[in-house]
Amino acid sequence: QITLKESGPTLVKPTQTLTLTCTFSGFSLSTSGVGVGWIRQPPGKALEWLALIYWDDDKRYSPSLKSRLTITKDTSKKQVVLTMTNMDPVDTATYYCAHSADGSSGDYWGQGTLVTVSS
Amino acid sequence: EIVLTQSPGTLSLSPGERATLSCRASQSVSSSFLAWYQQKPGQAPRLLIYGASSRATGIPDRFSGSGSGTDFTLTISRLEPEDFAVYYCQQFGSSPLWTFGQGTKVEIK
């Protein structure tokens, strides 16, 4: 049974760096083809893909946010970490992590965590 | 960058009716890399369809996907009360890796 859960701060101040952790179970991030991605959703708006890391440490980023994002994995801890620098109120959103069997879509998603950016 | 445009924005239907949702891409998309998700309020998205027409694990057969090139469709043959939700299409590309449409809300008429 594959499960994922996001954790991190619920409130960050403008200009701060956000660090989110996705802790997963039921699969290994060393299995060929597997990836874990991050997706966000501002309140009442559509989904926006942020980043994805593959089993072989290949990392992909949203072109519009690439300069602010870093994605890393710890295979033994079964965690994927996303950092986003220079947070702004427009970054207020629910942040999801998702498992992808081959990188093309998210077949299992975490429950999401709401991050509010406010002073 | 490929843009996905979903229509209509809102679909008002009654239980038992057929729902047809459209997803149009600004450039041709490989059918292997077009997915559909369902999202209910306060919940994470759930994968319904991948590869344009393959149902994900546990998805009822009233959900079907079709299409190719730039035009894709999600059909719900007979709406059940639990199907009223927002639906997103998503494509897998080179950069960005994933692109989502803006969503179609299926609401009870």
Side-chain angles (χ1 to χ4, degrees):
Chain A
Q1 177 192 3
I2 291 176
T3 64
L4 305 96
K5 187 173 184 178
E6 307 85 355
S7 59
T10 57
L11 179 66
V12 298
K13 291 181 167 48
T15 75
Q16 287 187 335
T17 294
L18 172 68
T19 299
L20 293 173
T21 301
C22 177
T23 303
F24 58 85
S25 64
F27 68 95
S28 172
L29 200 37
S30 58
T31 299
S32 178
V34 170
V36 171
W38 285 93
I39 304 94
R40 71 179 179 179
Q41 185 173 38
K45 296 189 177 181
L47 301 164
E48 178 185 18
W49 174 74
L50 301 176
L52 186 139
I53 188 165
Y54 283 98
W55 65 285
D56 60 355
D57 211 38
D58 183 12
K59 301 168 186 177
R60 305 297 178 92
Y61 296 101
S62 166
S64 62
L65 293 167
K66 185 174 183 177
S67 63
R68 299 173 54 205
L69 296 174
T70 303
I71 190 170
T72 60
K73 64 180 176 70
D74 187 324
T75 304
S76 60
K77 286 187 177 180
K78 289 185 172 288
Q79 291 181 333
V80 172
V81 175
L82 181 77
T83 61
M84 180 180 292
T85 61
N86 194 24
M87 293 292 285
D88 183 272
V90 300
D91 297 313
T92 293
T94 296
Y95 287 75
Y96 298 99
C97 62
H99 167 276
S100 181
D102 60 1
S104 67
S105 60
D107 47 8
Y108 296 92
W109 292 58
Q111 64 190 25
T113 185
L114 176 62
V115 178
T116 301
V117 184
S118 174
S119 54
Chain B
E1 176 180 339
I2 294 178
V3 175
L4 299 179
T5 301
Q6 293 186 239
S7 61
T10 301
L11 199 51
S12 298
L13 295 168
S14 301
E17 289 193 294
R18 182 185 188 90
T20 303
L21 287 67
S22 173
C23 176
R24 179 162 290 178
S26 59
Q27 303 171 43
S28 184
V29 172
S30 169
S31 296
S32 299
F33 301 135
L34 194 287
W36 290 91
Y37 300 85
Q38 177 193 66
Q39 187 179 34
K40 297 179 181 179
Q43 295 186 17
R46 176 175 70 146
L47 179 67
L48 299 175
I49 301 288
Y50 64 94
S53 60
S54 298
R55 275 186 297 276
T57 304
I59 301 304
D61 60 7
R62 65 180 180 273
F63 291 93
S64 64
S66 63
S68 64
T70 59
D71 290 301
F72 297 87
T73 300
L74 174 70
T75 301
I76 310 171
S77 58
R78 286 178 58 86
L79 282 165
E80 297 287 341
E82 62 267 29
D83 299 336
F84 291 92
V86 178
Y87 293 83
Y88 293 96
C89 58
Q90 174 248 316
Q91 71 95 25
F92 168 76
S94 56
S95 183
L97 203 66
W98 295 2
T99 305
F100 292 92
Q102 83 279 17
T104 289
K105 181 179 182 181
V106 178
E107 65 175 22
I108 300 176
K109 186 174 182 180

